[in-house]
Amino acid sequence: MSLRVILRILGLLLMMFSLTMMPPILVSLLFGDGQWQAFSIAIVITVVTGLVIYLPNRRAHKELRTRDGFLIAALFWSVLGLFGSLPLMLTGDAALMPTDAVFESFSGLTTTGATVITGIEFLPKSVLYYRQQLQWLGGMGIVVLAVAILPTLGVGGMALYRTEIPGPLKDSKLTPRITETAKALWYIYAALTLTCFLAYMAAGMDWFDALGHSFSTVAIGGFSTYDASIGHFDSVLIELICIFFLVISAMSFSLHFLAWRGRQLSHYLLDPEARFLLIFLSGLALIAVVSLWLTGTYDTERGLRHGLFQAVSVATTAGFGVDDFSAWPGALPFLLFMAAFVGGCSGSTGGGMKVIRIILILKQGMREVMRLIHPSAVIAVKVGKVSVPDGIAQAVWGFFSAYLMLFFLMLVGVMATGVDQVTAWSTVASSLNNLGPALGEASENYGELPQLTKWILVVAMLLGRLEIFTVLVLFTPAFWKK
């Protein structure tokens, strides 16, 4: 491991990130909200820091290994969240305190969608745009974008790509060259965003709201330009468009690439992970709708609309809202939160543990039941027609165990700060799954939570975004041995 090479790359990535603060300046000038200076100062600070890190190490060249990729990914997302908070601390009357600014920044970049802000619609337009853009950048992962650019600067990309694309079956490339793979993913991501933007505009949103919500929809983020989220528009068509793009974005982008290249939609129905996701979302939506009807919470139309929308929004870890589902009767809010642990497909912008892992856990459970009946049988775990190696199956159980252990530890940590049980478990679950909404004291926003709680939740967001092991591996002595 060469720390000088890693610092050189970190400096480059930080300077690249400074460029993303330029569009908010244009938005500020367009709407005349007077916040362009805050973003300009943030750019200067970010660029200078990047140069200070880069220049002493600019001649350090060495091929990256997977171990280097882990450190770069963890460092970059941590640094990115910190520097991404600068504009939020500098925007005059709308400025946030450091802890709140960091929380909001990490929430955006990790596509969690939790917020500490009230009166969102009254924020300066440039700040509103910036929040939405943070989610869009975090959705596919700015490190994947860097993979497409950094090779031209003499930096290998595969080590970064493997640590950034989520899921247990992520080492296969869509194209022979990793740069082309990253570009293909971003073309698909940009095309979906543009299509979603045009659909929202056609449904009645103005261009600013349509752009902001297309960013957070395709990123499965959940940030909105209004406190009432999608419910502000009270439009069936807008809700259906949101549902459609959430489902599409929750599927693997590799699957989108294959479907586009082969010009065949059959890929979606033939893929076991996509099929499971569609069946799971349909079943959850049916339970939600029927529960709302039987309890008389809404009339027939509202029950169908709200039940379907919230089931898809929460299960895909987007967290958009059309109503306060935390006030729904019975076990329904808890059921929706548990569904978020499943999340999106591997290689999607969704959070959670990923559908493929849930499939493997279920299939391994069934295999153990069959082994009780037939002790001598050799039973393979298959996803579709493909046998899954035992190494991957064991890694899935390891991930599941680590996920639950960290959830428990952070839950105890949050409760130790004085937060009640319902608020604690829902905020930790929401942050770790990159969901956003919570129950209890955080049902409206996270602003009133203790500062230490917010820092614990920031760590949970980061662990969820980088899928735990990318961060945990840094704390093992073996990682640092030569």
Side-chain angles (χ1 to χ4, degrees):
M1 181 187 299
S2 175
L3 290 178
R4 290 194 64 195
V5 174
I6 292 171
L7 288 173
R8 169 177 166 266
I9 296 169
L10 191 62
L12 284 171
L13 291 172
L14 202 52
M15 288 187 283
M16 282 177 54
F17 177 65
S18 69
L19 298 177
T20 67
M21 298 181 192
M22 296 184 72
I25 293 177
L26 298 179
V27 173
S28 177
L29 294 174
L30 177 64
F31 287 95
D33 64 12
Q35 301 301 329
W36 64 271
Q37 291 178 322
F39 289 98
S40 299
I41 294 171
I43 288 175
V44 171
I45 295 173
T46 306
V47 170
V48 169
T49 306
L51 284 173
V52 169
I53 297 173
Y54 169 77
L55 289 176
N57 305 291
R58 64 186 182 280
R59 300 189 186 280
H61 292 271
K62 188 179 180 181
E63 183 62 28
L64 288 176
R65 292 182 293 179
T66 302
R67 189 164 61 165
D68 301 319
F70 285 130
L71 186 57
I72 291 171
L75 278 176
F76 183 60
W77 279 95
S78 301
V79 172
L80 197 68
L82 294 174
F83 280 84
S85 68
L86 288 176
L88 301 175
M89 288 188 276
L90 299 171
T91 48
D93 294 337
L96 299 176
M97 297 299 290
T99 296
D100 286 347
V102 170
F103 182 94
E104 198 78 9
S105 176
F106 271 94
S107 180
L109 285 166
T110 59
T111 70
T112 301
T115 185
V116 295
I117 301 173
T118 54
I120 292 173
E121 52 260 51
F122 302 111
L123 291 173
K125 290 290 188 180
S126 56
V127 176
L128 283 176
Y129 171 84
Y130 180 65
R131 292 173 74 248
Q132 305 301 118
Q133 181 185 268
L134 282 176
Q135 293 215 311
W136 191 75
L137 292 171
M140 179 59 67
I142 198 168
V143 175
V144 176
L145 176 62
V147 166
I149 297 174
L150 289 184
T152 62
L153 303 174
V155 178
M158 193 62 198
L160 291 180
Y161 175 79
R162 285 178 175 170
T163 57
E164 180 60 21
I165 294 297
L169 305 173
K170 62 185 179 182
D171 286 345
S172 58
K173 294 181 287 186
L174 306 180
T175 61
R177 293 172 59 85
I178 185 61
T179 304
E180 297 303 319
T181 297
K183 286 180 179 177
L185 291 174
W186 269 100
Y187 289 150
I188 295 169
Y189 191 57
L192 282 176
T193 305
L194 177 60
T195 307
C196 184
F197 166 68
L198 295 174
Y200 276 144
M201 283 197 65
M205 284 189 185
D206 63 42
W207 73 267
F208 184 82
D209 287 337
L211 182 62
H213 285 89
S214 66
F215 281 170
S216 55
T217 300
V218 176
I220 310 189
F223 271 169
S224 175
T225 51
Y226 298 94
D227 280 334
S229 190
I230 296 294
H232 169 84
F233 302 98
D234 194 20
S235 166
V236 176
L237 183 55
I238 287 175
E239 291 166 18
L240 290 175
I241 290 170
C242 186
I243 289 171
F244 175 78
F245 281 97
L246 286 179
V247 173
I248 291 296
S249 300
M251 292 182 181
S252 171
F253 275 69
S254 300
L255 190 60
H256 296 327
F257 178 82
L258 293 174
W260 171 78
R261 188 173 62 179
R263 302 293 193 273
Q264 291 181 351
L265 295 177
S266 59
H267 286 288
Y268 295 101
L269 297 178
L270 295 175
D271 183 72
E273 194 178 15
R275 283 204 312 268
F276 185 97
L277 176 69
L278 293 174
I279 293 171
F280 177 73
L281 292 178
S282 300
L284 184 66
L286 180 62
I287 293 172
V289 170
V290 172
S291 297
L292 293 174
W293 283 344
L294 292 178
T295 56
T297 305
Y298 301 110
D299 58 28
T300 303
E301 180 191 350
R302 287 280 174 179
L304 178 61
R305 282 177 57 185
H306 291 189
L308 174 61
F309 184 89
Q310 290 299 162
V312 173
S313 177
V314 176
T316 58
T317 72
F320 287 119
V322 290
D323 198 8
D324 182 13
F325 74 92
S326 67
W328 286 358
L332 197 51
F334 178 78
L335 177 64
L336 292 178
F337 263 89
M338 294 307 295
F341 277 90
V342 177
C345 295
S346 175
S348 73
T349 56
M353 289 191 289
K354 301 295 181 294
V355 171
I356 188 64
R357 289 193 178 97
I358 303 301
I359 293 174
L360 289 174
I361 288 171
L362 292 174
K363 286 183 175 290
Q364 288 179 81
M366 290 303 299
R367 180 173 69 171
E368 295 308 312
V369 171
M370 294 302 296
R371 279 179 172 173
L372 291 175
I373 302 172
H374 305 287
S376 301
V378 178
I379 305 170
V381 174
K382 291 186 176 181
V383 177
K385 297 180 180 180
V386 179
S387 294
V388 178
D390 284 340
I392 289 179
Q394 292 171 8
V396 168
W397 276 110
F399 178 89
F400 182 68
S401 301
Y403 209 83
L404 292 183
M405 183 63 71
L406 285 169
F407 173 77
F408 172 76
L409 291 174
M410 287 186 288
L411 173 60
V412 172
V414 169
M415 289 177 63
T417 65
V419 177
D420 66 88
Q421 293 182 22
V422 173
T423 304
W425 80 257
S426 63
T427 52
V428 172
S430 186
S431 299
L432 191 59
N433 291 320
N434 301 138
L435 169 60
L439 305 178
E441 295 177 10
S443 59
E444 294 185 3
N445 63 73
Y446 289 59
E448 298 302 317
L449 295 178
Q451 288 196 14
L452 181 56
T453 298
K454 292 173 185 175
W455 283 105
I456 294 173
L457 297 179
V458 164
V459 173
M461 295 176 200
L462 187 62
L463 286 168
R465 180 64 183 89
L466 293 178
E467 300 221 331
I468 293 178
F469 284 146
T470 303
V471 179
L472 289 186
V473 71
L474 303 181
F475 294 93
T476 59
F479 179 84
W480 300 100
K481 290 181 179 178
K482 294 183 179 180

